[in-house]
Amino acid sequence: MTLSRQSALGLYVHVPFCARRCEFCAFYEVPPRRADVERYLACAERELAELHLPRRAETVFWGGGTPSILAPADLERLAGATLGASGGTPEEWTVETTPATCRADRLAVLKNSGVTRVSIGVQSFDEAILAGLGRLHTTAQVSEAIGAVRAAGIGNLNLDLMFALPGQTLEEWERDLRTAIAAGPEHISTYCLTIEESAPLFARLARGRLSRRTPDEEAAFYERTWDLLEAAGYRQYEVSNFARPGYECVHNLNTWRMREWAGVGPAAASQLGLRRYANAANLARWAEGVEKGAPARTDEVILDEATLATDAVVFGLRMVEGVDLAELAARFPSHDWAEVARKASELEGQGLAEFDGRSLRLTRRGRLLADEVALEFF
Ligand SMILES: C[S@@+](CC[C@H](N)C(=O)[O-])C[C@H]1O[C@@H](n2cnc3c(N)ncnc32)[C@H](O)[C@@H]1O
Ligand code: SF4
């Protein structure tokens, strides 16, 4: 298998601190108590120092939580340890921020460290919707944050937006999209609200105070999104992601292409060599493991060709470019590619995919049903 020899390598660092949990959020995060931040930084430094990546990481992604909640001196510390582990300045280095924490002093540290891409979690430009989601920012703070990113000289800006939010109409969503486009970011991510059991919103669902959108309602939001962003010059390259040409997120592309990534910090996932695992999603348990030199890991799987090949098809089909089955067959020769080709022809017959015997990509209708299509391959 060619995976470990020539694949792109990404480094993900999870920074698990948030000022308050948002109503929709199921990511691992805790309040930024000073003692916890100190312990986190010391353990992240150690985990990074002991990582010994097999080669240089082309991309780095600091996600969260809220990496930008860290003070400038803490960011500098984490950046130094990250650069020590990555084996050189990465070509792309993304940092996730919230509007209230995306500020000049922190951005200056990030820019000086080599950060190339900043992502701001805007979610909505509607004050009432923001308040209902438990977000701690106003739309005025979003404009300030965007101005601060530009003033810091960071030329690749992403805005995260969410749709199908409680009470949100298609017209309100369209207004959000137009406001985002007018702000001129290089990249826009648009996520359809999902409500997991661990998210505070789930309690409202369970009590019948909130109902889920129907698949048809969600499809209407997706289609409005795709039409508007394409017309504004943002090329869709994945179900939820749009970019001006040349500004696609390489780190995320490499995960959908089933390349390799190393994860540092609580809850961070890794796929390295033929192993896939996640760090414990608990700050204390993760830190104890790092301090003892015995990392606390969960969900460890030894990957076989069939698993990797199936994941490469399923995640690859989320990308607009689709997958090159001949290339995948060369990477994973023992997989049952005849069966994949049979399913591909079936999808084509249903108008869900285009297949020329080698390259397979979903049609717009196929992309709307990407989760159902995925089930066909598992
Ligand atoms: C891990 S969050 C980090 C960004 C930052 N903490 C923030 O919230 O602004 C990344 C993005 O995932 C999206 N997201 C989080 N929870 C979601 C959910 N339940 N459904 C859909 N999108 C979600 C949001 O757009 C969010 O900005
Ligand atoms: S959505 Fe972002 S800011 Fe809100 S709790 Fe989740 S990680 Fe933190």
Side-chain angles (χ1 to χ4, degrees):
M1 198 161 5
T2 53
L3 178 82
S4 50
R5 263 189 283 130
Q6 41 127 298
S7 102
L9 178 62
L11 172 58
Y12 175 81
V13 180
H14 192 74
V15 185
F17 302 107
C18 290
R20 179 167 90 187
R21 174 174 284 272
C22 303
E23 290 289 308
F24 53 81
C25 187
F27 288 92
Y28 178 65
E29 55 78 35
V30 290
R33 289 178 33 228
R34 190 61 215 167
D36 287 341
V37 173
E38 279 295 335
R39 193 174 185 200
Y40 166 79
L41 288 170
C43 289
E45 277 181 325
R46 176 150 174 203
E47 196 177 22
L48 283 160
E50 292 172 359
L51 202 53
H52 306 303
L53 292 176
R55 58 194 174 279
R56 187 172 83 88
E58 289 95 344
T59 61
V60 171
F61 198 106
W62 283 5
T66 311
S68 52
I69 209 168
L70 296 177
D74 294 342
L75 289 171
E76 207 166 346
R77 215 173 133 187
L78 189 62
T82 301
L83 284 170
S86 65
T89 312
E91 282 148 40
E92 178 191 277
W93 181 349
T94 303
V95 176
E96 286 187 337
T97 70
T98 58
T101 59
C102 188
R103 295 215 294 257
D105 52 354
R106 289 152 190 184
L107 292 164
V109 171
L110 296 176
K111 172 73 181 167
N112 285 339
S113 305
V115 168
T116 60
R117 185 170 182 269
V118 166
S119 173
I120 306 178
V122 175
Q123 321 314 353
S124 172
F125 289 97
D126 183 308
E127 303 286 358
I129 286 182
L130 287 174
L133 296 176
R135 296 291 293 184
L136 287 172
H137 68 264
T138 60
T139 52
Q141 281 173 309
V142 175
S143 309
E144 284 163 28
I146 293 171
V149 170
R150 296 314 193 188
I154 291 171
N156 190 350
L157 168 67
N158 170 58
L159 302 182
D160 277 345
L161 297 175
M162 292 171 69
F163 61 84
L165 296 169
Q168 186 183 42
T169 64
L170 265 180
E171 290 62 40
E172 284 165 345
W173 171 235
E174 182 167 336
R175 257 204 310 277
D176 276 354
L177 281 170
R178 289 191 190 285
T179 311
I181 292 165
E186 283 69 29
H187 192 286
I188 300 180
S189 298
T190 55
Y191 298 113
C192 183
L193 174 70
T194 57
I195 306 178
E196 292 184 30
E197 278 181 43
S198 58
L201 263 189
F202 191 83
R204 274 204 255 164
L205 260 188
R207 277 190 256 115
R209 303 243 173 95
L210 180 72
S211 48
R212 286 192 195 275
R213 303 278 181 156
T214 64
D216 281 349
E217 284 171 340
E218 289 185 354
F221 277 94
Y222 273 109
E223 297 218 73
R224 185 72 64 98
T225 310
W226 299 353
D227 288 341
L228 251 152
L229 289 178
E230 290 281 346
Y234 290 90
R235 198 183 69 96
Q236 183 179 21
Y237 68 102
E238 195 266 350
V239 172
S240 307
N241 287 286
F242 303 78
R244 298 257 185 236
Y247 288 94
E248 297 81 8
C249 176
V250 178
H251 185 87
N252 286 340
L253 281 171
N254 283 336
T255 60
W256 298 320
R257 290 176 177 146
M258 284 300 118
R259 304 300 183 178
E260 287 183 290
W261 55 93
V264 165
S270 299
Q271 176 163 298
L272 275 174
L274 294 180
R275 290 188 323 137
R276 184 183 285 169
Y277 51 86
N279 286 351
N282 177 290
L283 183 58
R285 256 194 298 131
W286 164 77
E288 267 163 38
V290 175
E291 284 157 0
K292 280 197 281 189
R297 290 184 175 152
T298 59
D299 305 327
E300 178 140 5
V301 191
I302 300 297
L303 296 165
D304 54 25
E305 284 209 2
T307 307
L308 274 172
T310 303
D311 288 352
V313 170
V314 164
F315 287 94
L317 285 179
R318 296 185 62 85
M319 295 184 290
V320 172
E321 68 181 23
V323 287
D324 179 337
L325 295 187
E327 188 223 318
L328 290 181
R331 258 175 89 194
F332 311 114
S334 73
H335 190 56
D336 186 353
W337 292 104
E339 176 62 10
V340 174
R342 197 187 58 73
K343 285 190 183 140
S345 300
E346 237 174 69
L347 290 173
E348 189 177 35
Q350 295 161 350
L352 298 175
E354 288 164 8
F355 182 46
D356 62 9
R358 176 176 174 139
S359 136
L360 171 65
R361 62 195 293 272
L362 295 184
T363 57
R364 189 180 239 243
R365 200 158 78 78
R367 248 176 287 130
L368 283 174
L369 297 170
D371 292 342
E372 285 80 351
V373 169
L375 293 178
E376 292 292 312
F377 288 96
F378 281 124

